[in-house]
Amino acid sequence: MKITRLDAYPFRLPLRRDFRWASLEQQLGHFVFVEVHTDSGISGIGEAIPLPDWGGDHGRPGGETPGSVLDIIRGVIAPALTGLDPTAIEAAHMAMDRVLRGHSYARCAVDIALHDILGQVAGLPLYRLIGGAVRPCVQVAHMIGIMSTDDARDEARASCVDGISALQIKGGADPERDIATVRAIREAVGPEVFLRLDANQGYARAKQAARVLSRMAGLLDMVEQPVADRAEMAALTAASEIDVIADESCWDACDAIEIVRDRAADAISIYLAKAGGLAPARRVAAVAMAAGLPCDVNGSLESGIGNAANLHFALASPPVTLACVIPLNAPAGRLTSQVAGRYFEDDIIGEPLAVRDGQLLPPERPGLGITLDRARLEQYRVG
């Protein structure tokens, strides 16, 4: 079985509302669709969600666009992988490493497609091939973007009505607004809902962040990446009574080792796109598990393709014990919630991801376990 070609092109999904966070300048919902074809007739699908204005500590790594992802896949990755066995995924990563540095979003899209092929060849859902389920379902946290305090409170209430019991509240641009918003949401949803503030590195230094967080003690359960730089994260983690989860500071297993070494966080947020796919993300999870750090699976609000990969990874990864900030994907007319986990008005999958009480259930068909709606994909294709 050999790879014969890779197809890649952009598409865009319509948003339910504007979702933004500190440092994000463009609208979400821009994707690159990838399909890996083989000489057996089996093909696998993946996606990238590149962002030009988001990245790691001090602006590295990151900064990809749909155009750069397309160029890398078509001009660099495709020639390197053509003729290789698509089920030899680690060998495929080694082949990409020989011709490419960085560009984790492009790598991730291809990695997801290769895993989809592997599952189809084996006749098994992907989570069974990467360790098997360690939990029956995956708890979802709803992301509340930067918006007015009143709008954020309403979004939180509606999400909880839909069955969500964990929320990620975006902040970092205005500490006073963050404090008021967290307080309003806590009063609206009560003490049982897990609240996590994501400042996206918006607080300048650990001392400033510690002062801000001290005013949210008793309201917040966790804070995500309030400052840039692992040294600043370590100082804040030592000083704050609120647990700290690393996001921008942890992209791959090497970063995870340094987070553990420096005691720079109490938990790690894993993105398939940051790591470069499921295979390298499993190495991040292994470091976290060895160190006893809990994780979540997070992302940039994937379509049903990328989120199916998130779901399989979360099901099979022991340290992923935190609620995951991922969508409840569904095509128009078959929505499973009014607000919770709903970021798009439509999707390119043929049926909703199965959900119950704010938790995503395992897909049981081979590979990613989803049905691609090619008519919808063509409808939302860009260029």
Side-chain angles (χ1 to χ4, degrees):
M1 189 177 184
K2 305 296 181 185
I3 295 172
T4 55
R5 76 176 195 275
L6 280 72
D7 293 335
Y9 50 84
F11 70 97
R12 184 175 182 183
L13 292 178
L15 289 166
R16 175 176 66 83
R17 68 175 301 163
D18 183 33
F19 291 96
R20 293 188 183 272
W21 57 75
S23 80
L24 181 70
E25 297 297 329
Q26 72 165 32
Q27 281 280 4
L28 295 170
H30 297 265
F31 306 88
V32 174
F33 171 79
V34 173
E35 188 163 16
V36 176
H37 299 270
T38 70
D39 58 1
S40 72
I42 294 175
S43 65
I45 57 175
E47 75 174 21
I49 316 97
L51 298 172
D53 52 2
W54 186 83
D57 282 342
H58 311 299
R60 58 181 194 270
E64 296 184 57
T65 68
S68 69
V69 168
L70 290 168
D71 286 344
I72 288 295
I73 290 175
R74 292 168 177 171
V76 180
I77 294 178
L81 298 190
T82 299
L84 300 186
D85 178 355
T87 66
I89 295 173
E90 291 291 355
H93 275 279
M94 293 172 65
M96 287 190 280
D97 288 342
R98 284 192 288 270
V99 298
L100 185 63
R101 295 291 181 270
H103 295 280
S104 63
Y105 287 89
R107 293 172 186 260
C108 179
V110 173
D111 171 280
I112 292 171
L114 295 177
H115 277 89
D116 188 27
I117 291 172
L118 178 64
Q120 293 179 63
V121 171
L124 292 171
L126 182 53
Y127 74 86
R128 294 183 181 272
L129 294 173
I130 58 173
V134 295
R135 53 188 55 86
C137 51
V138 173
Q139 184 185 9
V140 172
H142 178 70
M143 186 198 86
I144 299 174
I146 292 180
M147 57 186 73
S148 73
T149 294
D150 288 345
D151 285 350
R153 181 181 56 232
D154 292 344
E155 183 94 355
R157 281 176 173 155
S159 298
C160 292
V161 169
D162 283 334
I164 288 288
S165 58
L167 298 168
Q168 182 203 57
I169 306 162
K170 291 293 189 180
D174 178 354
E176 294 300 325
R177 174 264 173 200
D178 297 346
I179 294 166
T181 299
V182 167
R183 182 175 290 113
I185 289 176
R186 176 58 79 194
E187 291 172 353
V189 303
E192 302 303 320
V193 175
F194 189 94
L195 295 189
R196 161 172 151 190
L197 173 68
D198 182 7
N200 284 113
Q201 303 181 314
Y203 303 150
R205 303 293 296 274
K207 283 187 176 181
Q208 178 197 3
R211 287 194 292 268
V212 174
L213 292 175
S214 69
R215 296 171 61 189
M216 290 184 269
L219 300 174
L220 273 184
D221 297 289
M222 181 170 280
V223 62
E224 181 176 340
Q225 195 72 43
V227 294
D229 190 87
R230 275 191 291 271
E232 292 292 320
M233 285 282 286
L236 179 62
T237 299
S240 177
E241 65 181 72
I242 299 172
D243 283 348
V244 177
I245 182 168
D247 180 0
E248 287 95 332
S249 287
C250 187
W251 281 59
D252 56 23
C254 293
D255 286 346
I257 290 170
E258 294 183 359
I259 290 285
V260 172
R261 181 198 65 197
D262 297 342
R263 299 183 180 181
D266 301 297
I268 291 175
S269 188
I270 301 176
Y271 287 44
L272 301 186
K274 286 191 303 184
L278 290 106
R282 292 178 69 193
R283 293 190 273 277
V284 178
V287 173
M289 184 176 176
L293 297 185
C295 300
D296 82 328
V297 175
N298 207 329
S300 301
L301 308 184
E302 290 81 357
S303 85
I305 297 173
N307 204 34
N310 285 336
L311 176 55
H312 286 284
F313 177 81
L315 286 165
S317 299
V320 179
T321 56
L322 300 173
C324 297
V325 188
I326 56 178
L328 303 179
N329 305 85
R334 301 190 62 186
L335 300 174
T336 55
S337 70
Q338 294 301 307
V339 171
R342 181 185 159 202
Y343 307 102
F344 308 110
E345 294 288 11
D346 201 359
D347 210 299
I348 58 172
I349 53 176
E351 55 194 39
L353 296 182
V355 59
R356 183 179 61 223
D357 299 328
Q359 301 178 98
L360 284 167
L361 306 179
E364 295 299 346
R365 292 196 293 270
L368 289 175
I370 58 174
T371 301
L372 178 65
D373 187 327
R374 291 188 180 270
R376 276 191 164 94
L377 176 61
E378 189 62 28
Q379 176 186 349
Y380 295 120
R381 180 170 177 171
V382 179

